[in-house]
Amino acid sequence: MSAKILAIGDLTVDQIMAPLQDLPRWGEEAEVHSLEIRLGGNTGNFALTANALGLEVACMGPIGRDSNGRWVRAELERHGLTTKHLHVCSDLGTSVSVALVKEDGERLFVTYPGALVHLENMVARGNFPAATYALFSGWCQPPRVAAPVLAACFDRLRARGTTVVIDLAWSEASWLVRDQLFGALSRADIVIMNIDEAAALTSRTDLPAVMESLRAHLGADMMIIVKRGSEGAMLDVPHMSPTNIPAFRVAESRAAVGTGDSFNAGFLHALAVQRLTPVDAAQFGCDVASWQLMHGRKDRIDAAEIRSLRTAGLTRRGAIA
């Protein structure tokens, strides 16, 4: 069973190096034992996990007319994903992101944006195919994409019956224009972010205060999800008290790069295909993220196996971000 999901944002070539004990100082060198090159970016990570769960996904994002762009296209096609909605740019190369992963799973990113600077123009044109859900992530936020452009796009999609979901990315520039950002977010249906992004956006550190501030800025009808790393997620559904969604403890895990995008894939699968309540959908999202931490990226993920984690006697604590 499938549902059409439109994934809009960053498609990058990810170079993941691990494990790193400490960052070297300028002029020094550190060695790692693992290098993985894979399709990434928030949009790429989401699309591959959603596709593995059986969702029908169409990706929209700018890539360059270069070898990396051809590789991104080939990777999407290898997984059976359509590439006809990609925006190919001749003036800039495809985005590349280097992820350095510490021994404890924490990570940092160094990114060459390249063609992603054309994302606003792509969104403004609004040539979007029909979809049940549209997920905006990775760069799709002010000031990288202007608030009026996003708001107009969200309004058009919602008028067509598409549920608009946006997942924030860390951006110091965005926190400086929080009024613009809140204005754009308030036109979506579901807003997702991690706890660090939520704290930066609201200028709060205490979780209840963070949730209260988000609700005040985003309005009574917004569904809000704050991903909390190893603590799972906090879900705030309209007209209900915020609900803590626990995750499984993962004793041995793969690199956590893209785990939050896996949550998004599980969450939307649970809503669109399994027809679960938001609370149960968020729980399934946490479980998909924990499962992927244990098993790594796979071409196929059995939803029934994910659901069985609830009865496997595992400790309800894990690691998503």
Side-chain angles (χ1 to χ4, degrees), residues 18-268:
L20 188 67
Q21 184 174 14
D22 292 299
L23 285 174
R25 293 178 296 182
W26 292 110
E28 297 182 349
E29 182 180 12
E31 294 184 359
V32 296
H33 304 300
S34 172
L35 169 63
E36 182 180 7
I37 300 176
R38 70 185 198 185
L39 176 64
N42 299 113
T43 301
N45 291 330
F46 166 82
L48 291 185
T49 303
N51 182 67
L53 283 165
L55 284 166
E56 182 182 350
V57 183
C59 291
M60 289 189 70
I63 59 172
R65 197 180 300 275
D66 58 1
S67 59
N68 282 331
R70 291 189 291 273
W71 183 85
V72 166
R73 183 186 294 275
E75 281 296 288
L76 290 170
E77 292 174 344
R78 184 171 71 86
H79 289 87
L81 290 157
T82 180
T83 58
K84 65 181 180 180
H85 303 297
L86 298 180
H87 178 65
V88 182
C89 309
S90 299
D91 58 334
L92 290 168
T94 301
S95 177
V96 177
S97 187
V98 177
L100 303 179
V101 184
K102 288 183 64 177
E103 293 174 329
D104 62 2
E106 188 55 86
R107 61 262 195 264
L108 63 79
F109 302 89
V110 180
T111 297
Y112 162 69
L116 290 181
V117 300
H118 293 301
L119 186 60
E120 181 178 86
N121 292 333
M122 188 196 78
V123 171
R125 284 199 299 272
N127 298 321
F128 301 119
T132 305
Y133 289 87
L135 173 66
F136 290 79
S137 60
W139 276 62
C140 286
Q141 61 195 60
R144 290 165 170 167
V145 178
V149 171
L150 275 178
C153 176
F154 292 174
D155 288 348
R156 288 196 303 271
L157 286 167
R158 295 180 70 193
R160 289 166 37 178
T162 299
T163 298
V164 174
V165 186
I166 181 167
D167 184 14
L168 296 188
W170 179 270
S171 170
E172 296 281 358
S174 292
W175 320 142
L176 297 176
V177 293
R178 54 173 48 90
D179 287 344
Q180 297 177 36
L181 180 53
F182 273 128
L185 296 180
S186 65
R187 309 288 272 274
D189 297 294
I190 303 172
V191 172
I192 305 173
M193 63 193 78
N194 69 33
I195 186 60
D196 293 331
E197 293 154 358
L201 178 58
T202 61
S203 298
R204 305 285 193 276
T205 55
D206 180 64
L207 181 60
V210 166
M211 301 305 295
E212 182 179 358
S213 179
L214 289 175
R215 174 59 66 202
H217 282 93
L218 297 176
D221 296 327
M222 183 69 63
M223 186 187 300
I224 303 167
I225 300 173
V226 175
K227 295 177 281 192
R228 304 175 57 213
S230 62
E231 300 301 320
M234 183 66 70
L235 171 70
D236 192 356
V237 179
H239 315 300
M240 289 178 56
S241 298
T243 303
N244 181 57
I245 309 296
F248 286 127
R249 180 184 298 279
V250 178
E252 295 183 6
S253 67
R254 307 292 183 98
V257 177
T259 313
D261 305 310
S262 300
F263 170 92
N264 297 345
F267 176 68
L268 289 183

